[in-house]
Amino acid sequence: MSLAVGVASSSKNMGFDEKSSKSKGITEAKTPPNEENEDELRGEKVHRTLSESSIYATEDDEEEDAKKIDLGPQVTLKEQFEKDKDDESLRRWKEQLLGSVDFDSVGETLEPDVKIVSLAIISPDRPDIVLQIPENGKPKGLWFTLKEGSRYSLKFTFQVCNNIVSGLKYSNTVWKTGVKVDSTKEMIGTFSPQQEPYMHEMPEETTPSGIFARGSYSARSKFVDDDNKCYLEINYTFDIRKDWNSTS
């Protein structure tokens, strides 16, 4: 899933696609206006890539990316909003990004906090597979089973608190019999704190099929931001079989 099983080196990568549908109380994850351009925030110019879906990358590549990004010292949300008030275009951009943030609730906290509220595998013509997220990030035993040749996507909801999270990214690496078969990375975006959770759905993918595709896989999924702060890391195993697990 793109929590996914990015399983597919022998076929396609797994991920989510962005849809316009919204659930009650849930805000669809969107990238703020003009984020593909150079944004000015805290008096600095920062260039962010909107999407990097299904990019093959090594852990060394991810570490190198983290070294290239320098957003400068953190400031509180209140300080960010008050800064550069005389710059009309920057002020409007901040208002669009922050929306109706309750500054009294976020206080003076420097560090943003992102909580992954739920994860689910969505596939046509079958109930959603809701994945339980253990606190230690290590589900016991087999986490889920996918049917070979089936279409599916990963959907997750997350909540942002305290401060703006910049450049939230999702990455997933998959191994079979100790050999890395897939590595996927996707930029989710930059989000302001709010009470309602955001929702993001990866592009629909198709699991590989055939005798060589079936079997057990191990994987690691991570949610990190531009400062390389990790909000969730999950190490798990899953199977690809001829049919869906009847207990899923």
Side-chain angles (χ1 to χ4, degrees):
M1 62 196 244
S2 195
L3 190 215
V5 223
V7 112
S9 81
S10 55
S11 178
K12 297 183 179 179
N13 296 327
M14 303 174 170
F16 298 74
D17 80 344
E18 297 185 7
K19 297 184 178 180
S20 58
S21 59
K22 297 182 180 179
S23 301
K24 185 175 181 182
I26 294 179
T27 303
E28 182 182 10
K30 294 182 179 179
T31 304
N34 301 323
E35 190 169 63
E36 69 250 358
N37 300 323
E38 287 189 335
D39 303 330
E40 294 187 6
L41 183 59
R42 302 192 295 273
E44 302 172 23
K45 291 186 177 180
V46 180
H47 183 75
R48 303 188 181 98
T49 302
L50 283 176
S51 177
E52 295 178 319
S53 179
S54 300
I55 290 180
Y56 287 85
T58 65
E59 292 182 10
D60 291 337
D61 294 331
E62 294 178 2
E63 292 177 0
E64 185 64 26
D65 289 343
K67 292 178 182 178
K68 293 178 182 177
I69 299 172
D70 182 10
L71 297 182
Q74 286 186 311
V75 296
T76 66
L77 201 57
K78 289 182 179 180
E79 290 173 327
Q80 288 184 19
F81 191 75
E82 292 294 326
K83 196 173 183 179
D84 303 317
K85 271 190 171 182
D86 295 334
D87 188 326
E88 184 66 19
S89 61
L90 182 56
R91 183 186 61 80
R92 287 198 302 267
W93 185 88
K94 289 180 181 180
E95 288 177 348
Q96 287 178 312
L97 175 63
L98 297 176
S100 56
V101 172
D102 183 356
F103 290 100
D104 292 331
S105 64
V106 297
E108 300 293 334
T109 305
L110 288 174
E111 292 284 342
D113 185 41
V114 178
K115 180 180 180 181
I116 310 303
V117 179
S118 66
L119 292 166
I121 299 174
I122 313 300
S123 185
D125 305 320
R126 64 151 292 120
D128 295 350
I129 301 174
V130 180
L131 303 172
Q132 300 299 319
I133 307 174
E135 291 185 5
N136 64 1
K138 296 180 180 180
K140 293 182 178 179
L142 188 69
W143 204 22
F144 57 86
T145 297
L146 295 176
K147 178 183 177 181
E148 63 174 342
S150 61
R151 294 184 293 121
Y152 79 97
S153 62
L154 175 69
K155 181 173 70 174
F156 56 86
T157 59
F158 60 97
Q159 194 159 25
V160 179
C161 302
N162 299 337
N163 208 332
I164 295 172
V165 59
S166 176
L168 183 65
K169 295 179 287 289
Y170 165 83
S171 65
N172 188 69
T173 306
V174 181
W175 297 266
K176 187 176 184 182
T177 62
V179 178
K180 184 167 72 171
V181 296
D182 185 79
S183 183
T184 303
K185 181 167 62 175
E186 172 151 321
M187 175 67 76
I188 303 170
T190 296
F191 304 92
S192 61
Q194 64 177 31
Q195 291 186 346
E196 297 78 16
Y198 294 95
M199 179 185 71
H200 186 79
E201 187 169 343
M202 300 290 282
E204 185 179 78
E205 298 291 346
T206 301
T207 58
S209 59
I211 188 172
F212 294 107
R214 295 192 290 270
S216 296
Y217 295 80
S218 61
R220 179 176 64 235
S221 295
K222 296 175 69 175
F223 293 85
V224 301
D225 65 13
D226 273 348
D227 292 320
N228 209 32
K229 179 180 178 180
C230 182
Y231 297 99
L232 178 65
E233 178 176 331
I234 308 175
N235 295 276
Y236 60 97
T237 60
F238 66 93
D239 280 357
I240 291 181
R241 299 178 181 172
K242 287 186 176 182
D243 207 343
W244 294 102
N245 190 336
S246 59
T247 61
S248 293

